[in-house]
Amino acid sequence: MNLFAAKSLKSLAALSAGLLISSAALAQTIVKLATTAGDIRIELDAEKAPKSVANFIAYVKAGHYNGLIFHRVIENFMIQTGGYSADLKQRPTKAPIPLESRNGLNNVRGTIAMARSSDPNSATSQFFINTVDNPFLDAENARDGNGYAVFGRVIEGMEVVDQIRATPVAPKTESFPHMPVTTILINKATVESKK
């Protein structure tokens, strides 16, 4: 092997190592949701759900989630937020992202997943936290064959999630049949330093 080839291989190895390190670091990004019920910390998995994580972080950094409510709470299912202010005005969103539901992450208790419409590639800013194991939301079990993309998990504050899921709900309008009677807000969402 000549000197040029050896140097090229060494550079490639260093570049590969750097990419692996940055990918691993990205995979451990933490987002803190400071809510009126308490703090929830979520570890994001950029390695397995890169588009969902990048999308979520962009909304967090833009301040999109600050002042939004948990508008859909179903105790033995999930809690959902990311779309509406307390006066039920929907925040503008960016373009939808592709579905990443076949990434090896399952909709189990404490995981966070992208909410979407019947169009598999319609997720924008709304997300939910599974309050129980929901295997029927995983792609391999889903009725529509697509499922919902998990992109992280709660690492602190499941007691806050449980407090939110246990809050009394009532229909507000036809579009909001599972609205908490007491408004629960995300005061601020922030990206914290990586582990």
Side-chain angles (χ1 to χ4, degrees):
M1 183 184 298
N2 65 34
L3 185 60
F4 177 76
K7 281 185 175 178
S8 294
L9 276 176
K10 192 174 179 182
S11 297
L12 187 59
L15 178 63
S16 296
L19 287 173
L20 286 174
I21 289 166
S22 57
S23 173
L26 263 180
Q28 296 181 356
T29 300
I30 309 295
V31 165
K32 174 182 160 185
L33 303 177
T35 80
T36 51
D39 293 347
I40 302 167
R41 280 187 172 81
I42 298 159
E43 182 179 70
L44 306 177
D45 195 331
E47 190 178 343
K48 292 188 174 173
K51 291 178 177 70
S52 300
V53 168
N55 177 70
F56 185 66
I57 289 174
Y59 278 112
V60 170
K61 287 185 172 177
H64 176 87
Y65 297 119
N66 302 345
L68 295 187
I69 61 168
F70 284 86
H71 65 273
R72 187 172 178 229
V73 171
I74 304 174
E75 186 172 7
N76 292 312
F77 180 29
M78 53 93 230
I79 60 174
Q80 185 171 330
T81 183
Y84 301 93
S85 58
D87 58 1
L88 301 185
K89 297 271 192 303
Q90 189 167 13
R91 291 250 170 105
T93 60
K94 300 181 291 141
I97 59 170
L99 181 66
E100 294 181 304
S101 60
R102 297 181 187 280
N103 61 15
L105 300 174
N106 296 320
N107 282 276
V108 296
R109 175 174 157 79
T111 56
I112 181 174
M114 293 304 301
R116 62 171 177 82
S117 69
S118 58
D119 174 355
N121 300 305
S122 61
T124 55
S125 64
Q126 291 190 42
F127 63 91
F128 60 90
I129 300 172
N130 289 290
T131 59
V132 296
D133 293 352
N134 289 312
F136 68 95
L137 296 180
D138 297 336
E140 61 272 15
N141 305 320
R143 238 183 308 169
D144 68 357
N146 294 299
Y148 291 78
V150 171
F151 63 98
R153 65 187 180 92
V154 174
I155 55 168
E156 285 177 37
M158 270 310 287
E159 71 283 357
V160 177
V161 173
D162 286 335
Q163 184 183 333
I164 295 170
R165 83 173 184 148
T167 193
V169 298
K172 182 86 171 178
T173 67
E174 196 175 303
S175 301
F176 298 94
H178 305 285
M179 179 77 76
V181 174
T182 304
T183 301
I184 302 167
L185 286 170
I186 297 173
N187 289 323
K188 189 168 188 183
T190 50
V191 177
E192 296 194 330
S193 56
K194 299 171 185 78
K195 276 183 165 184

